[in-house]
Amino acid sequence: MPTFTLSRSRALLAAGVALAVVFGAAHLLGGSSKPAQVTVEGGGAASVPRSAARVATAPVLVVDVAGAVRRPGLYRLPQGSRIADALARAGGETKHADSLLVNLAAPLADGEQVLVPALAGAGGAGGTSSPSASGAPPSPTAPVDLNTATAEQLDALPGVGPVTAEKIIAYRQAHGAFTSVDQLDAISGIGPSRIADLKGLVQP
């Protein structure tokens, strides 16, 4: 059998090519998982995966979902959520919900109450206060905050019934907090004379 003898220069060249192939493969396999360096207490450095270094706690907001929904209660949602997201967490609207008064695309704010009104005559307003025998509803003892008042509190105002109270809450959810009592003029059923009667009884 014939034998082949490599010269010294050819042997060194072959070894160099082999090492280059090995180092290249190691670079390709390990380059994508290079750990990130972070400083730890005491001035030292520790290596952590880059994916873990990017993990951050997303801010959340807490909202109160009430009214004609399947599971009313407090819910934690990511920042930037919409009313539709809150209703989904609460199991969705019931068959008695008046969904036309709810702006599902409105953004949520931390501490906000999302109140889904019930259809008129559906029994959802059974617990609301009603006018006395003389026709005059009970007057509140302190100004009612238009931005936090419940349907029952708004219904107790003179000239504001259950339907108008739900419209006020729906307007608040769709357009944000009231900044002036005069903004009530944008709600159907409330005109300048009614706003004049409500001044002193409500506040933004």
Side-chain angles (χ1 to χ4, degrees):
M1 179 181 295
T3 59
F4 298 92
T5 303
L6 292 176
S7 66
R8 180 181 179 84
S9 60
R10 289 183 178 180
L12 291 175
L13 179 60
V17 171
L19 287 175
V21 171
V22 171
F23 281 117
H27 178 72
L28 290 175
L29 294 175
S32 60
S33 60
K34 183 179 179 180
Q37 296 292 326
V38 296
T39 303
V40 297
E41 185 177 358
S47 297
V48 296
R50 290 187 181 276
S51 57
R54 295 192 189 100
V55 174
T57 302
V60 298
L61 50 84
V62 180
V63 295
D64 177 20
V65 185
V69 293
R70 299 183 186 280
R71 296 191 300 271
L74 295 177
Y75 291 94
R76 296 169 65 88
L77 296 163
Q79 287 283 359
S81 296
R82 308 280 177 165
I83 285 181
D85 300 319
L87 296 187
R89 289 290 302 277
E93 304 168 352
T94 67
K95 63 181 180 179
H96 301 302
D98 191 352
S99 57
L100 293 179
L101 295 179
V102 181
N103 181 2
L104 299 178
L108 292 170
D110 186 45
E112 180 181 355
Q113 182 187 59
V114 178
L115 181 60
V116 179
L119 291 167
T128 59
S129 59
S130 58
S132 62
S134 63
S139 299
T141 57
V144 174
D145 191 329
L146 292 173
N147 296 318
T148 59
T150 63
E152 290 80 4
Q153 291 173 318
L154 294 171
D155 184 25
L157 294 167
V160 179
V163 175
T164 304
E166 298 289 1
K167 289 181 180 179
I168 293 174
I169 293 174
Y171 181 90
R172 183 175 72 197
Q173 293 177 347
H175 301 280
F178 286 93
T179 58
S180 170
V181 177
D182 293 330
Q183 287 180 276
L184 290 173
D185 186 56
I187 299 172
S188 61
I190 300 180
S193 60
R194 184 68 62 208
I195 292 175
D197 294 337
L198 292 175
K199 285 187 176 178
L201 299 178
V202 295
Q203 64 184 11

